[in-house]
Amino acid sequence: MSEQRVTRRQFLSYTIMGVGGFMAVASVMPMLRMAVDPVLQVEAGGDFIATTVKVDELTNEPTRVDFQFEQEDGWYTSNVTQTAWVYKDDKGEIIALSPVCKHLGCTVNWNSNKDHPNQFFCPCHKGLYEKDGTNVPGTPPRGPLDRYKYKVKDGVLYLSRRASAVRGA
Amino acid sequence: MLNKVYDWIDERLDITPLWRDVADHEVPEHVNPAHHFSAFVYCFGGLTFFVVVIQVLSGMFLSMYYVPDIERAWESVYYLQNQVAFGQIVRGMHHWGASIVIVMMFLHTLRVFFQGAYKKPRELNWIVGVLIFFVMLALGLTGYLLPWDMKALNATKVTLDIAQSTPLIGDMLKTLLSGDEHIVGAETLTRFFAIHVFFLPAALLGLIGLHFLMIRKQGISGPL
């Protein structure tokens, strides 16, 4: 046959492959989309939480600030308390550091170790950070402490729900 | 009576060759500890499978009491451990078996490695074996979270940190595993539960089936 006609066998195999492929995709696609949903969800929590701290009260000495917000975890809502170490640097800029150690997630404290004054100290594996959150070389942490974003409204300090990593600091 | 039932079925389905094939399969002398005691090293694969069967069965029974929910998980484990008759035993089997299966699998791997039994034509079976190893480790890792105590929670936080340190896709991978960008909570527990109880065992059974098919087809490697 000169004109490239599709044989009966080819037609059948194309049809079966097409229908089979459609059925496979139609059944698996919704499941996969369901599984990856958390990855594709746009985070709504861009809002800032009011703390009880007035900006005027802040000094250049880091102070512990606790603030609460309602957290939605799937079908659970719960009250979560976050902690920040807040101070004003030399230029008067507010710095709000996360107390979560960048080594294995323990909680760091300011000025808590007599051998390392004016540093953040992690009791778990003796991690150290400078006042601005920079990790001290030779101690376990692999990066500087995360920072909260902040906002000032009516003289009150507002902090972001989550601290984010400092890139290239 | 039983013979008659068997004959009745066999007459219709001819099932004798199915089990005869397995039952008449001779154990070669060099892998039989009755002939050479040192041949006990050949038992580790079979022991691994034995413990896997125990894990599957004890896991099935544990799931009669376990609830994968952040408010109830710990209590349900506490209840089955302390209130249910033999609950402590069954949970103990699952707990210790999880470690023993890794040890047995490791010994089996060492034997195959040092005897060079992975060489041609058995390379594919080695590859499937390594995949089984990964699935087993993942089973241990996901099962660790399910009691939902502090040890489980903190271990999982470290696990997720490790996943997050993957180049390029780390953040996505972490969210995919934990169900939320920041929270290790309700969605993490249900995910780990589903992976531990459905996805990984299904993968494991498929891979073990392949592992056995291949060793049957190719036969065990000869004596050293």
Side-chain angles (χ1 to χ4, degrees), chain B residues 150-198:
Chain B
M150 286 314 289
K151 189 171 70 166
L153 180 71
N154 285 312
T156 301
K157 282 185 176 171
V158 172
T159 302
L160 292 171
D161 273 358
I162 294 170
Q164 196 171 18
S165 66
T166 311
L168 301 173
I169 56 162
D171 288 345
M172 278 164 65
L173 197 62
K174 189 213 160 178
T175 311
L176 188 65
L177 280 172
S178 61
D180 189 282
E181 211 180 325
H182 304 289
I183 309 164
V184 179
E187 297 191 64
T188 318
L189 187 57
T190 49
R191 263 166 194 260
F192 273 49
F193 177 74
I195 293 169
H196 183 79
V197 171
F198 295 107

Short mmCIF file of all heavy atoms in Angstrom, two decimals, chain B residues 150-198:
data_model
loop_
_atom_site.label_atom_id
_atom_site.label_comp_id
_atom_site.label_asym_id
_atom_site.label_seq_id
_atom_site.Cartn_x
_atom_site.Cartn_y
_atom_site.Cartn_z
N MET B 150 8.85 12.43 73.45
CA MET B 150 9.85 13.48 73.17
C MET B 150 11.01 12.95 72.35
O MET B 150 11.54 13.63 71.49
CB MET B 150 10.37 14.07 74.49
CG MET B 150 9.40 14.99 75.20
SD MET B 150 8.62 16.18 74.11
CE MET B 150 9.98 17.27 73.73
N LYS B 151 11.40 11.70 72.63
CA LYS B 151 12.51 11.11 71.88
C LYS B 151 12.15 11.02 70.40
O LYS B 151 12.94 11.38 69.52
CB LYS B 151 12.84 9.72 72.44
CG LYS B 151 14.09 9.13 71.87
CD LYS B 151 14.50 7.85 72.60
CE LYS B 151 13.54 6.73 72.30
NZ LYS B 151 14.06 5.40 72.70
N ALA B 152 10.92 10.55 70.15
CA ALA B 152 10.45 10.41 68.77
C ALA B 152 10.42 11.78 68.08
O ALA B 152 10.89 11.94 66.95
CB ALA B 152 9.06 9.80 68.75
N LEU B 153 9.87 12.78 68.78
CA LEU B 153 9.72 14.10 68.19
C LEU B 153 11.08 14.70 67.85
O LEU B 153 11.30 15.19 66.73
CB LEU B 153 8.96 15.01 69.15
CG LEU B 153 8.73 16.43 68.65
CD1 LEU B 153 7.71 16.42 67.52
CD2 LEU B 153 8.27 17.34 69.76
N ASN B 154 12.01 14.62 68.82
CA ASN B 154 13.31 15.25 68.58
C ASN B 154 14.10 14.50 67.51
O ASN B 154 14.78 15.12 66.69
CB ASN B 154 14.10 15.34 69.88
CG ASN B 154 13.54 16.45 70.76
OD1 ASN B 154 13.32 17.56 70.28
ND2 ASN B 154 13.31 16.16 72.02
N ALA B 155 14.01 13.17 67.51
CA ALA B 155 14.69 12.40 66.48
C ALA B 155 14.16 12.79 65.10
O ALA B 155 14.92 12.92 64.14
CB ALA B 155 14.50 10.91 66.71
N THR B 156 12.85 12.99 65.01
CA THR B 156 12.27 13.34 63.72
C THR B 156 12.66 14.76 63.30
O THR B 156 12.86 15.03 62.12
CB THR B 156 10.74 13.19 63.77
OG1 THR B 156 10.45 11.84 64.11
CG2 THR B 156 10.12 13.53 62.44
N LYS B 157 12.79 15.66 64.29
CA LYS B 157 13.26 17.00 63.94
C LYS B 157 14.65 16.94 63.31
O LYS B 157 14.94 17.63 62.33
CB LYS B 157 13.26 17.90 65.18
CG LYS B 157 11.87 18.39 65.53
CD LYS B 157 11.89 19.38 66.68
CE LYS B 157 10.47 19.90 66.92
NZ LYS B 157 10.37 20.69 68.15
N VAL B 158 15.51 16.10 63.90
CA VAL B 158 16.85 15.95 63.34
C VAL B 158 16.77 15.35 61.94
O VAL B 158 17.43 15.81 61.00
CB VAL B 158 17.72 15.08 64.28
CG1 VAL B 158 19.05 14.75 63.62
CG2 VAL B 158 17.95 15.77 65.60
N THR B 159 15.92 14.31 61.80
CA THR B 159 15.74 13.69 60.49
C THR B 159 15.34 14.72 59.44
O THR B 159 15.89 14.77 58.33
CB THR B 159 14.63 12.62 60.55
OG1 THR B 159 14.98 11.66 61.53
CG2 THR B 159 14.44 11.95 59.21
N LEU B 160 14.36 15.57 59.81
CA LEU B 160 13.86 16.55 58.85
C LEU B 160 14.94 17.59 58.54
O LEU B 160 15.03 18.07 57.41
CB LEU B 160 12.60 17.22 59.40
CG LEU B 160 11.39 16.28 59.50
CD1 LEU B 160 10.25 16.94 60.25
CD2 LEU B 160 10.93 15.85 58.11
N ASP B 161 15.76 17.92 59.56
CA ASP B 161 16.88 18.83 59.31
C ASP B 161 17.83 18.24 58.29
O ASP B 161 18.34 18.94 57.41
CB ASP B 161 17.64 19.10 60.62
CG ASP B 161 17.03 20.26 61.38
OD1 ASP B 161 16.06 20.86 60.86
OD2 ASP B 161 17.52 20.57 62.49
N ILE B 162 18.08 16.93 58.43
CA ILE B 162 18.99 16.27 57.50
C ILE B 162 18.39 16.31 56.09
O ILE B 162 19.07 16.64 55.12
CB ILE B 162 19.25 14.81 57.93
CG1 ILE B 162 20.02 14.80 59.25
CG2 ILE B 162 20.04 14.07 56.86
CD1 ILE B 162 20.12 13.43 59.89
N ALA B 163 17.08 16.00 55.99
CA ALA B 163 16.42 16.04 54.68
C ALA B 163 16.51 17.45 54.10
O ALA B 163 16.73 17.63 52.90
CB ALA B 163 14.97 15.60 54.80
N GLN B 164 16.37 18.45 54.98
CA GLN B 164 16.36 19.83 54.51
C GLN B 164 17.73 20.26 53.99
O GLN B 164 17.83 21.20 53.18
CB GLN B 164 15.93 20.76 55.65
CG GLN B 164 15.51 22.14 55.19
CD GLN B 164 14.90 22.95 56.30
OE1 GLN B 164 15.08 22.62 57.47
NE2 GLN B 164 14.18 23.98 55.95
N SER B 165 18.78 19.59 54.46
CA SER B 165 20.11 19.99 54.02
C SER B 165 20.45 19.46 52.63
O SER B 165 21.55 19.68 52.13
CB SER B 165 21.15 19.52 55.03
OG SER B 165 21.21 18.11 55.05
N THR B 166 19.51 18.74 52.00
CA THR B 166 19.72 18.29 50.63
C THR B 166 19.88 19.52 49.72
O THR B 166 19.11 20.47 49.85
CB THR B 166 18.50 17.48 50.13
OG1 THR B 166 18.18 16.51 51.10
CG2 THR B 166 18.80 16.81 48.80
N PRO B 167 20.86 19.51 48.82
CA PRO B 167 21.02 20.66 47.94
C PRO B 167 19.78 20.89 47.06
O PRO B 167 19.12 19.93 46.67
CB PRO B 167 22.22 20.28 47.07
CG PRO B 167 22.92 19.21 47.81
CD PRO B 167 21.88 18.49 48.61
N LEU B 168 19.47 22.13 46.81
CA LEU B 168 18.43 22.59 45.90
C LEU B 168 17.00 22.25 46.35
O LEU B 168 16.17 23.13 46.53
CB LEU B 168 18.66 22.06 44.48
CG LEU B 168 20.00 22.47 43.84
CD1 LEU B 168 20.20 21.77 42.51
CD2 LEU B 168 20.09 23.99 43.69
N ILE B 169 16.69 20.97 46.51
CA ILE B 169 15.30 20.60 46.81
C ILE B 169 15.05 20.37 48.29
O ILE B 169 13.99 19.89 48.69
CB ILE B 169 14.88 19.32 46.04
CG1 ILE B 169 15.84 18.17 46.36
CG2 ILE B 169 14.84 19.57 44.55
CD1 ILE B 169 15.28 16.82 46.00
N GLY B 170 16.04 20.73 49.15
CA GLY B 170 15.94 20.44 50.58
C GLY B 170 14.66 20.92 51.23
O GLY B 170 13.99 20.16 51.92
N ASP B 171 14.31 22.20 51.00
CA ASP B 171 13.12 22.76 51.65
C ASP B 171 11.86 22.02 51.22
O ASP B 171 10.99 21.72 52.03
CB ASP B 171 12.99 24.25 51.31
CG ASP B 171 14.06 25.07 52.02
OD1 ASP B 171 14.68 24.53 52.95
OD2 ASP B 171 14.28 26.23 51.63
N MET B 172 11.77 21.74 49.91
CA MET B 172 10.58 21.05 49.40
C MET B 172 10.49 19.64 49.97
O MET B 172 9.43 19.18 50.37
CB MET B 172 10.63 20.97 47.87
CG MET B 172 10.16 22.23 47.19
SD MET B 172 10.66 22.25 45.47
CE MET B 172 9.73 20.89 44.82
N LEU B 173 11.64 18.99 50.02
CA LEU B 173 11.69 17.62 50.53
C LEU B 173 11.23 17.56 51.98
O LEU B 173 10.45 16.69 52.38
CB LEU B 173 13.12 17.10 50.43
CG LEU B 173 13.33 15.59 50.52
CD1 LEU B 173 12.61 14.90 49.38
CD2 LEU B 173 14.79 15.26 50.50
N LYS B 174 11.67 18.55 52.76
CA LYS B 174 11.29 18.60 54.17
C LYS B 174 9.78 18.78 54.30
O LYS B 174 9.12 18.08 55.07
CB LYS B 174 12.02 19.74 54.87
CG LYS B 174 11.84 19.69 56.35
CD LYS B 174 11.82 21.05 56.97
CE LYS B 174 11.17 20.96 58.33
NZ LYS B 174 11.14 22.24 59.01
N THR B 175 9.22 19.72 53.52
CA THR B 175 7.78 19.97 53.59
C THR B 175 7.01 18.74 53.14
O THR B 175 5.97 18.40 53.71
CB THR B 175 7.42 21.17 52.71
OG1 THR B 175 8.30 22.24 53.03
CG2 THR B 175 5.99 21.61 52.97
N LEU B 176 7.52 18.07 52.11
CA LEU B 176 6.83 16.88 51.61
C LEU B 176 6.78 15.79 52.69
O LEU B 176 5.78 15.11 52.85
CB LEU B 176 7.58 16.36 50.38
CG LEU B 176 6.90 15.22 49.62
CD1 LEU B 176 5.59 15.69 49.01
CD2 LEU B 176 7.81 14.69 48.52
N LEU B 177 7.87 15.68 53.45
CA LEU B 177 7.91 14.65 54.51
C LEU B 177 7.07 15.04 55.71
O LEU B 177 6.37 14.22 56.28
CB LEU B 177 9.36 14.43 54.96
CG LEU B 177 10.22 13.54 54.08
CD1 LEU B 177 11.66 13.59 54.56
CD2 LEU B 177 9.72 12.11 54.13
N SER B 178 7.16 16.32 56.11
CA SER B 178 6.54 16.71 57.38
C SER B 178 5.14 17.26 57.19
O SER B 178 4.41 17.42 58.16
CB SER B 178 7.41 17.73 58.11
OG SER B 178 7.54 18.88 57.32
N GLY B 179 4.74 17.57 55.95
CA GLY B 179 3.38 18.06 55.73
C GLY B 179 3.20 19.52 56.06
O GLY B 179 2.11 20.07 55.88
N ASP B 180 4.24 20.17 56.58
CA ASP B 180 4.15 21.60 56.86
C ASP B 180 5.56 22.17 56.85
O ASP B 180 6.52 21.48 57.19
CB ASP B 180 3.51 21.86 58.23
CG ASP B 180 3.20 23.32 58.45
OD1 ASP B 180 4.14 24.09 58.76
OD2 ASP B 180 2.02 23.70 58.30
N GLU B 181 5.64 23.45 56.45
CA GLU B 181 6.95 24.05 56.30
C GLU B 181 7.67 24.17 57.65
O GLU B 181 8.89 24.04 57.73
CB GLU B 181 6.78 25.43 55.67
CG GLU B 181 7.94 25.86 54.80
CD GLU B 181 7.68 27.24 54.23
OE1 GLU B 181 6.52 27.55 53.93
OE2 GLU B 181 8.65 27.99 54.11
N HIS B 182 6.90 24.47 58.71
CA HIS B 182 7.54 24.75 60.00
C HIS B 182 7.18 23.76 61.10
O HIS B 182 7.97 23.55 62.00
CB HIS B 182 7.14 26.15 60.48
CG HIS B 182 7.44 27.23 59.51
ND1 HIS B 182 8.73 27.63 59.24
CD2 HIS B 182 6.65 27.97 58.71
CE1 HIS B 182 8.71 28.60 58.33
NE2 HIS B 182 7.46 28.80 57.99
N ILE B 183 5.96 23.20 61.02
CA ILE B 183 5.45 22.44 62.15
C ILE B 183 5.74 20.95 61.99
O ILE B 183 5.52 20.39 60.93
CB ILE B 183 3.92 22.64 62.28
CG1 ILE B 183 3.59 24.13 62.27
CG2 ILE B 183 3.40 21.97 63.53
CD1 ILE B 183 2.13 24.42 62.02
N VAL B 184 6.25 20.34 63.05
CA VAL B 184 6.26 18.88 63.12
C VAL B 184 5.06 18.52 63.97
O VAL B 184 5.10 18.64 65.19
CB VAL B 184 7.57 18.37 63.75
CG1 VAL B 184 7.55 16.85 63.84
CG2 VAL B 184 8.77 18.82 62.94
N GLY B 185 3.96 18.14 63.33
CA GLY B 185 2.72 17.98 64.09
C GLY B 185 1.77 16.98 63.48
O GLY B 185 2.19 15.92 63.01
N ALA B 186 0.50 17.34 63.49
CA ALA B 186 -0.56 16.42 63.09
C ALA B 186 -0.30 15.81 61.72
O ALA B 186 -0.43 14.60 61.52
CB ALA B 186 -1.89 17.14 63.11
N GLU B 187 0.07 16.67 60.77
CA GLU B 187 0.23 16.16 59.41
C GLU B 187 1.50 15.33 59.26
O GLU B 187 1.57 14.44 58.41
CB GLU B 187 0.20 17.32 58.42
CG GLU B 187 -1.14 18.03 58.45
CD GLU B 187 -1.32 19.02 57.31
OE1 GLU B 187 -1.34 18.58 56.16
OE2 GLU B 187 -1.43 20.22 57.60
N THR B 188 2.51 15.64 60.09
CA THR B 188 3.72 14.83 60.06
C THR B 188 3.42 13.42 60.53
O THR B 188 3.85 12.44 59.92
CB THR B 188 4.80 15.45 60.98
OG1 THR B 188 4.79 16.85 60.82
CG2 THR B 188 6.17 14.89 60.65
N LEU B 189 2.67 13.33 61.62
CA LEU B 189 2.38 12.01 62.20
C LEU B 189 1.56 11.15 61.24
O LEU B 189 1.88 9.98 61.03
CB LEU B 189 1.64 12.19 63.53
CG LEU B 189 1.41 10.92 64.34
CD1 LEU B 189 2.73 10.21 64.62
CD2 LEU B 189 0.70 11.22 65.64
N THR B 190 0.53 11.73 60.62
CA THR B 190 -0.28 10.92 59.70
C THR B 190 0.54 10.50 58.49
O THR B 190 0.40 9.39 57.98
CB THR B 190 -1.53 11.68 59.24
OG1 THR B 190 -1.15 12.97 58.80
CG2 THR B 190 -2.54 11.79 60.35
N ARG B 191 1.41 11.39 58.02
CA ARG B 191 2.25 11.04 56.88
C ARG B 191 3.19 9.90 57.21
O ARG B 191 3.29 8.91 56.48
CB ARG B 191 3.10 12.25 56.47
CG ARG B 191 2.48 12.99 55.34
CD ARG B 191 3.05 14.33 55.09
NE ARG B 191 2.08 14.96 54.23
CZ ARG B 191 2.22 15.05 52.91
NH1 ARG B 191 3.32 14.67 52.33
NH2 ARG B 191 1.26 15.56 52.19
N PHE B 192 3.89 10.05 58.34
CA PHE B 192 4.83 9.00 58.72
C PHE B 192 4.09 7.68 58.94
O PHE B 192 4.58 6.61 58.61
CB PHE B 192 5.61 9.41 59.98
CG PHE B 192 6.84 10.22 59.67
CD1 PHE B 192 6.79 11.31 58.82
CD2 PHE B 192 8.07 9.89 60.23
CE1 PHE B 192 7.92 12.04 58.52
CE2 PHE B 192 9.21 10.62 59.94
CZ PHE B 192 9.13 11.70 59.09
N PHE B 193 2.89 7.78 59.51
CA PHE B 193 2.10 6.57 59.73
C PHE B 193 1.77 5.90 58.39
O PHE B 193 1.99 4.69 58.22
CB PHE B 193 0.81 6.93 60.48
CG PHE B 193 -0.10 5.76 60.69
CD1 PHE B 193 0.19 4.79 61.62
CD2 PHE B 193 -1.27 5.62 59.94
CE1 PHE B 193 -0.64 3.71 61.82
CE2 PHE B 193 -2.10 4.54 60.13
CZ PHE B 193 -1.79 3.59 61.08
N ALA B 194 1.27 6.68 57.45
CA ALA B 194 0.90 6.12 56.15
C ALA B 194 2.12 5.50 55.46
O ALA B 194 2.04 4.39 54.92
CB ALA B 194 0.29 7.20 55.26
N ILE B 195 3.24 6.21 55.52
CA ILE B 195 4.45 5.71 54.88
C ILE B 195 4.91 4.42 55.55
O ILE B 195 5.27 3.44 54.90
CB ILE B 195 5.57 6.78 54.92
CG1 ILE B 195 5.18 7.97 54.04
CG2 ILE B 195 6.89 6.20 54.44
CD1 ILE B 195 6.07 9.17 54.20
N HIS B 196 4.86 4.42 56.91
CA HIS B 196 5.36 3.28 57.66
C HIS B 196 4.47 2.04 57.48
O HIS B 196 4.97 0.92 57.46
CB HIS B 196 5.43 3.64 59.15
CG HIS B 196 6.01 2.55 60.01
ND1 HIS B 196 7.37 2.34 60.09
CD2 HIS B 196 5.45 1.63 60.82
CE1 HIS B 196 7.59 1.33 60.92
NE2 HIS B 196 6.44 0.87 61.37
N VAL B 197 3.17 2.26 57.39
CA VAL B 197 2.24 1.14 57.45
C VAL B 197 1.79 0.66 56.07
O VAL B 197 1.46 -0.51 55.89
CB VAL B 197 1.03 1.52 58.34
CG1 VAL B 197 -0.05 0.48 58.28
CG2 VAL B 197 1.49 1.71 59.77
N PHE B 198 1.77 1.56 55.09
CA PHE B 198 1.27 1.16 53.77
C PHE B 198 2.34 1.22 52.68
O PHE B 198 2.60 0.23 52.00
CB PHE B 198 0.07 2.02 53.36
CG PHE B 198 -1.11 1.81 54.25
CD1 PHE B 198 -1.49 2.77 55.16
CD2 PHE B 198 -1.83 0.63 54.19
CE1 PHE B 198 -2.58 2.56 56.00
CE2 PHE B 198 -2.92 0.41 55.01
CZ PHE B 198 -3.30 1.38 55.92
#
